[in-house]
């Protein structure tokens, strides 16, 4: 896309995607590749620079990832981070030892002498360390450029060969000047110019899509999520009505969401928009089913069936498009052929597990396959996709189906949709929306006794769930202010029919999950 490429060689560290995102944030295009990528392939890609990631291992462990010495002679600047720094030292004849005590957390480092890497970085600054081994002697020809109390070579370099190493993690926000250091490597050392900008991406992608698609048709499964919406926007700009978007509304979306998606894509974009309304069919299949796994399975299978049946009607040859994004393609972890080539595997979390054999396409198109989520959002904004869609919080494939405990009925869906809309409205008004990664209402299928005027009531309980998280692997319940909870509770019991009690879920993950089913 841009002819300025930086490679992030993956040695299995936990922050590898973060490194790549930080590089992209500096307007430099980069890709993550396995450390096993042959040197010839690396050379052929003509990268402006290479970054070795961290990794969980010690260089002396024979099973830990190593790399041929040759990489240091191809004339491309390299920055080694954490394990990558130790590997550089070890491979080039330096010495790596175990620390007496591991350095972990925010640590002060002091820079020594002048280094292009530390331009505009104060002599003392805080960085994020996480290591047990350290470099006790740097290779010949290298100079130490920073130290911490427990790490005599927190950074070292051989300017002449363009080889740089830092024991700490500049990609982590806890490293005060981490971004400056990465930027210095990219601009001062590698000579990058910052050619990766989203306006260019849109222009070039649209041109490429036009060329590839020609006068053929394209079908895209639109879920109303961020990725498929942005893919739809790009494809619409490229080929207009040659694009057919199939949007399956199974009746388990949030209040008015189906209509909003339809209006957005029919009014703002040029395309052939096909909405399949199959609420009744789904309810029929789900009648009497209470087991969570069975519900999920039915919703998934039915979705898949309805979707492909519609595609079969709409598509005659042409291309199949989907909103795969870069993190969907990278298998992180050592030993995997990380980031090698594009996959044509259909995204499983959209429940479109497998294309039926009788449907034939000329190929698959994945216009967002090189982008991170934040870049996808930037593209979405630039394409004029509404804020609600571009910043939509994650929503499970089975929709409200996993938020209605027990049997799913039309009445319960209505109660939950109304309750969820009230909760979202109050959170939005409170200004807390930005800090919460996900928040929603749950209908636990519990009825409780209440009192309204002179009458006793026996009606539904609504549970509210709101979490803060970085990656959804772990999550904490959000400390929503009491006043906001009070307003939500008040409105739910007054405005939503059949709700007479409200509780707030204060379980973190683990041991709880974000969803209730
Ligand atoms: P859990 O409940 O596993 O949720 O802690 C973590 C994140 O995943 C979402 N989630 C799903 N997404 N299909 C999806 O596409 C599903 O079946 C599904 N189940 C959970 C959940 O909303 C949260 O963001």
């Amino acid at each position: 896309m841009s002819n300025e490429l930086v490679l992030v060689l993956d040695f299995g560290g936990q922050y590898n995607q973060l490194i790549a995102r930080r590089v992209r944030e500096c307007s430099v295009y980069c890709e993550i590749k396995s450390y096993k990528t042959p040197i010839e392939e690396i050379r052929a890609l003509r990268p402006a620079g290479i970054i070795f990631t961290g990794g969980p291992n010690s260089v002396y462990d024979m099973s830990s990832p190593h790399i041929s010495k040759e990489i240091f002679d191809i004339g491309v600047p390299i920055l080694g981070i954490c394990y990558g720094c130790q590997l550089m030292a070890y491979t080039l004849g330096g010495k790596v030892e175990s620390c007496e005590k591991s350095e972990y957390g925010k640590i002060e480092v002091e820079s020594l002498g002048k280094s292009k890497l530390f331009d505009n970085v104060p002599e003392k600054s805080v960085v994020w360390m996480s290591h047990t081994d350290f470099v006790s002697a740097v290779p010949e020809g290298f100079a130490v450029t920073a130290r911490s109390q427990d790490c005599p070579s927190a950074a070292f370099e051989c300017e002449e060969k363009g080889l740089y190493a830092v024991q700490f993690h500049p990609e982590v926000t806890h490293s005060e000047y981490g971004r400056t250091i990465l930027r210095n490597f990219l601009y001062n050392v590698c000579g990058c110019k910052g050619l990766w900008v989203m306006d260019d991406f849109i222009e070039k992608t649209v041109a490429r899509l036009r060329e590839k698609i020609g006068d053929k048709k394209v079908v895209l499964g639109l879920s109303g999520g961020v990725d498929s919406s942005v893919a739809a926007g790009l494809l619409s700009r490229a080929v207009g009505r040659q694009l057919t978007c199939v949007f399956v509304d199974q009746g388990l979306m949030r209040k008015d969401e189906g209509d909003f998606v339809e209006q957005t894509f029919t009014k703002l974009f040029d395309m052939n928009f096909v909405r399949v309304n199959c609420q009744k069919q789904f309810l029929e299949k789900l009648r009497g089913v209470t087991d969570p796994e069975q519900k999920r399975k039915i919703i998934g299978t039915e979705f898949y069936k309805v979707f492909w049946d519609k595609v079969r009607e709409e598509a005659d040859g042409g291309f199949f498009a989907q909103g795969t994004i870069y993190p969907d393609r990278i298998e992180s972890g050592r030993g995997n052929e990380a980031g090698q080539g594009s996959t044509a595997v259909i995204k499983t979390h959209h429940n479109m597990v497998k294309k039926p054999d009788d449907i034939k396409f000329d190929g698959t198109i994945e216009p967002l396959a090189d982008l991170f989520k934040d870049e996808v959002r930037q593209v979405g904004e630039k394409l004029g996709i509404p804020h609600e869609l571009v910043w939509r919080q994650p929503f499970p494939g089975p929709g409200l189906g996993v938020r209605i405990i027990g049997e799913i009925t039309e009445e319960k869906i209505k109660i939950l949709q109304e309750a969820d809309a009230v909760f979202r409205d109050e959170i939005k008004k409170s200004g807390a929306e930005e800090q919460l990664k996900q928040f929603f209402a749950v209908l636990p299928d519990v009825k409780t006794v209440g009192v309204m005027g002179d009458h006793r009531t026996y009606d539904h309980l609504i549970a509210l769930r709101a979490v803060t998280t970085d990656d959804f692997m772990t999550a904490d319940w959000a400390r929503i202010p009491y006043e906001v909870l009070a307003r939500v509770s008040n409105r739910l019991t007054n405005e939503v029919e059949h709700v007479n009690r409200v509780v707030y879920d204060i379980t973190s993950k683990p041991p709880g999950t974000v969803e209730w089913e």
Side-chain angles (χ1 to χ4, degrees):
M1 187 63 56
S2 121
N3 42 20
E4 193 170 77
L5 167 73
V6 164
L7 289 182
V8 172
L9 281 196
D10 179 359
F11 288 91
Q14 56 178 324
Y15 300 127
N16 300 352
Q17 286 202 27
L18 196 55
I19 299 174
R21 276 174 50 197
R22 293 282 177 257
V23 172
R24 300 256 191 117
E25 281 167 14
C26 292
S27 305
V28 173
Y29 182 69
C30 81
E31 287 193 10
I32 302 175
K33 293 264 179 206
S34 163
Y35 73 94
K36 289 181 178 172
T37 308
I39 303 278
E40 272 325 300
E41 201 179 304
I42 293 177
R43 217 194 283 266
L45 288 167
R46 310 176 58 150
I50 298 175
I51 298 178
F52 287 2
T53 73
N57 314 284
S58 160
V59 288
Y60 291 113
D61 177 352
M62 286 325 285
S63 66
S64 65
H66 287 85
I67 195 156
S68 154
K69 208 172 166 180
E70 230 185 302
I71 188 93
F72 299 103
D73 294 324
I74 63 173
V76 176
I78 298 178
L79 172 67
I81 294 176
C82 196
Y83 176 83
C85 146
Q86 294 162 14
L87 188 71
M88 186 186 289
Y90 167 83
T91 313
L92 294 174
K95 201 165 166 207
V96 178
E97 284 181 62
S98 257
C99 310
E100 267 173 31
K101 69 176 202 288
S102 302
E103 254 191 330
Y104 182 81
K106 291 181 179 177
I107 306 280
E108 189 178 78
V109 289
E110 182 187 356
S111 53
L112 310 163
K114 244 189 114 43
S115 162
K116 286 182 183 171
L117 207 59
F118 290 94
D119 245 13
N120 296 316
V121 177
E123 197 180 321
K124 287 188 176 166
S125 72
V126 170
V127 297
W128 185 256
M129 290 276 197
S130 171
H131 66 112
T132 310
D133 285 0
F134 74 108
V135 175
S136 55
V138 299
E140 210 183 305
F142 278 69
V144 173
T145 51
R147 68 171 172 221
S148 71
Q149 196 179 341
D150 293 312
C151 185
S153 39
F156 51 91
E157 66 187 43
C158 174
E159 187 183 346
E160 192 192 331
K161 290 191 169 164
L163 303 178
Y164 292 77
V166 288
Q167 182 54 65
F168 53 88
H169 288 275
E171 70 278 18
V172 173
T173 45
H174 301 305
S175 292
E176 282 178 316
Y177 289 86
R179 282 171 198 236
T180 311
I181 292 168
L182 280 176
R183 204 182 162 79
N184 285 341
F185 176 68
L186 299 169
Y187 286 77
N188 296 357
V189 177
C190 303
C192 291
K193 297 190 175 65
L195 305 176
W196 175 245
V197 283
M198 285 303 122
D199 285 321
D200 277 1
F201 170 84
I202 294 176
E203 213 174 284
K204 286 178 184 158
T205 305
V206 164
R208 264 194 328 161
L209 287 170
R210 282 191 186 135
E211 193 182 329
K212 178 161 183 183
I213 298 166
D215 57 4
K216 292 188 175 158
K217 286 188 175 180
V218 189
V219 182
L220 171 81
L222 188 63
S223 68
V226 184
D227 306 343
S228 64
S229 295
V230 176
L234 264 178
L235 282 158
S236 159
R237 186 171 284 191
V239 295
R241 297 191 67 82
Q242 284 164 252
L243 168 68
T244 297
C245 285
V246 176
F247 171 57
V248 176
D249 186 349
Q250 26 48 328
L252 297 167
M253 315 247 310
R254 289 174 288 203
K255 188 184 176 189
D256 299 331
E257 205 165 21
D259 294 344
F260 179 64
V261 172
E262 177 170 349
Q263 275 172 21
T264 301
F265 288 100
T266 48
K267 297 227 167 83
L268 300 183
F269 293 90
D270 190 27
M271 65 171 67
N272 179 25
F273 183 91
V274 180
R275 176 171 176 177
V276 193
N277 285 316
C278 46
Q279 296 89 328
K280 293 246 163 349
Q281 179 178 338
F282 271 68
L283 278 175
E284 206 45 46
K285 293 276 174 194
L286 289 164
R287 185 179 298 157
V289 183
T290 53
D291 176 66
E293 275 316 299
Q294 211 187 336
K295 277 167 39 180
R296 256 172 208 272
K297 208 165 167 190
I298 292 172
I299 297 170
T301 314
E302 240 6 66
F303 180 91
Y304 169 53
K305 192 169 161 299
V306 171
F307 175 76
W308 288 116
D309 279 352
K310 194 40 101 183
V311 169
R312 197 178 273 112
E313 272 173 38
E314 297 293 327
D316 40 5
F319 293 94
F320 179 67
Q322 54 180 1
T324 316
I325 68 171
Y326 194 48
D328 298 329
R329 294 200 292 135
I330 324 170
E331 293 175 49
S332 102
R334 48 185 280 230
N336 290 327
E337 294 309 308
Q340 303 272 340
S342 155
T343 60
V345 183
I346 288 163
K347 279 178 101 173
T348 49
H349 74 253
H350 281 186
N351 298 317
M352 296 192 283
V353 196
K354 190 174 173 295
K355 177 174 77 62
D357 292 337
D358 67 303
I359 301 180
K360 303 266 185 267
F361 288 109
D362 292 342
T364 306
I365 290 181
E366 298 174 318
L368 309 175
D370 291 330
L371 301 192
F372 284 107
K373 195 78 165 192
D374 24 6
E375 295 172 320
V376 172
R377 292 199 160 111
Q378 276 181 54
V379 171
E381 301 255 14
K382 285 189 190 294
L383 289 170
I385 295 174
H387 189 84
E388 287 100 305
L389 279 182
V390 170
W391 291 96
R392 190 183 191 250
Q393 51 177 295
F395 189 62
L400 300 183
V402 292
R403 296 178 183 168
I404 295 173
I405 315 305
E407 188 185 1
I408 299 169
T409 64
E410 203 170 345
E411 189 198 25
K412 288 187 198 168
I413 296 174
K414 178 101 177 74
I415 296 171
L416 183 57
Q417 280 178 335
E418 294 298 329
D420 187 68
V422 167
F423 187 32
R424 280 195 289 143
D425 184 46
E426 283 301 328
I427 291 288
K428 196 170 177 182
K429 284 184 191 151
S430 76
E433 202 175 11
E434 302 286 309
Q435 287 114 56
L436 305 181
K437 282 295 166 67
Q438 210 174 0
F439 53 96
F440 51 86
V442 178
L443 190 74
D445 204 24
V446 169
K447 286 193 169 184
T448 71
V449 173
V451 56
M452 196 169 274
D454 295 333
H455 304 284
R456 268 184 180 274
T457 57
Y458 186 58
D459 249 327
H460 278 285
L461 162 81
I462 284 286
L464 304 173
R465 181 74 163 140
V467 295
T468 54
T469 174
D470 282 332
D471 55 9
F472 290 96
M473 303 296 282
T474 61
D476 198 6
W477 59 277
R479 279 25 172 203
I480 296 179
Y482 279 178
E483 314 82 75
V484 179
L485 288 173
R487 272 199 300 276
V488 177
S489 166
N490 227 347
R491 281 190 61 190
L492 287 178
T493 47
N494 280 308
E495 292 175 25
V496 184
E497 237 185 301
H498 300 298
V499 172
N500 70 353
R501 193 177 294 269
V502 183
V503 295
Y504 185 48
D505 181 350
I506 52 166
T507 323
S508 55
K509 172 184 179 176
T513 48
V514 175
E515 302 289 348
W516 275 39
E517 266 198 350

